[in-house]
Amino acid sequence: MKNTGAYITLLLCLVSIKGMGQFSFNGTITSAVGIQSVMALSVTNNASPTINFTNAQYSGGYAISNFNSFDVKSNQPWTLSVSAATPDFAASGTHASPNMPASVIAVVKSGQSPFKPLSANAQVLATGNRGNTSTPGNSFNMDLMASPGYNYGPGIYTLSIVYTLSVQ
C-alpha cells in the first residue's frame, strides 16, 4: 500500500507538469512613465564685465553687441527674464554717487529693439519652445547698453544682473 500512494503522487506530478505546457497567458500590461519638468540655462559672458567710458560714450552710451550668449534646454515652452539684483548700483569712491539707478544699463535680445532698461522688476528678455540648443530660438545673444550721462560722479559702480528661466 505504501507503493500505491507513491505511484499516485508521482502520476499526479507528471500530469501537472505535462499539463503546464498546454496553457498560455495573453493580455496587456499597462506601464506608466513619469516625465518631470526639465529646464537648463547656460550663460556665457562674451565681453569684459568692466566698462570704461570715453568722453563720447558718456552722452551717447556704450553699446556692447553679443555681451552674453544663452543656451536653453527645456521640455516645455520657456521664458527668460532679466532684472537687476538691486534698484541702484553699489558705489565706491570719494566722488561716487550713491543713487545711480540700475536703469543706466539696458539690454535687448540681439537683433531686436528697443533696449529695455534694467530695474529690480523682472522683464522678459526672450521666449522659446521646448527643445535643446539646436531648436531655433533656444540659442541667442544679448546686447548691452550703458548710458550714465554726466549725472553721476566718478567712482567704481557694480550691479548684479539676474537671469530667470521659467515655464511660459
Side-chain angles (χ1 to χ4, degrees):
M1 288 250 182
K2 290 183 179 181
N3 287 339
T4 309
Y7 288 123
I8 293 173
T9 304
L10 180 62
L11 183 62
L12 288 175
C13 288
L14 289 174
V15 170
S16 296
I17 292 172
K18 186 175 180 184
M20 289 178 136
Q22 295 175 356
F23 297 102
S24 65
F25 172 78
N26 185 7
T28 60
I29 296 174
T30 304
S31 61
V33 177
I35 298 177
Q36 303 299 315
S37 173
V38 178
M39 302 180 84
L41 174 65
S42 175
V43 181
T44 303
N45 194 23
N46 299 324
S48 172
T50 301
I51 301 171
N52 293 308
F53 291 90
T54 63
N55 285 338
Q57 293 167 331
Y58 278 102
S59 57
Y62 184 51
I64 304 171
S65 297
N66 303 322
F67 183 74
N68 288 139
S69 294
F70 300 91
D71 290 322
V72 178
K73 295 177 186 176
S74 176
N75 64 354
Q76 54 195 328
W78 53 268
T79 299
L80 181 66
S81 299
V82 61
S83 64
T86 56
D88 296 321
F89 280 79
S92 63
T94 306
H95 301 290
S97 303
N99 61 346
M100 188 164 80
S103 60
V104 164
I105 300 287
V107 297
V108 68
K109 182 178 176 182
S110 295
Q112 296 184 351
S113 63
F115 276 92
K116 300 172 185 179
L118 290 182
S119 74
N121 298 319
Q123 51 191 325
V124 174
L125 178 64
T127 59
N129 296 313
R130 70 174 172 232
N132 59 22
T133 55
S134 64
T135 303
N138 284 14
S139 290
F140 57 93
N141 294 319
M142 179 192 80
D143 300 338
L144 182 137
M145 170 75 79
S147 303
Y150 293 97
N151 299 325
Y152 308 102
I156 303 296
Y157 296 90
T158 57
L159 180 74
S160 294
I161 299 174
V162 178
Y163 301 107
T164 305
L165 183 62
S166 58
V167 176
Q168 269 189 22

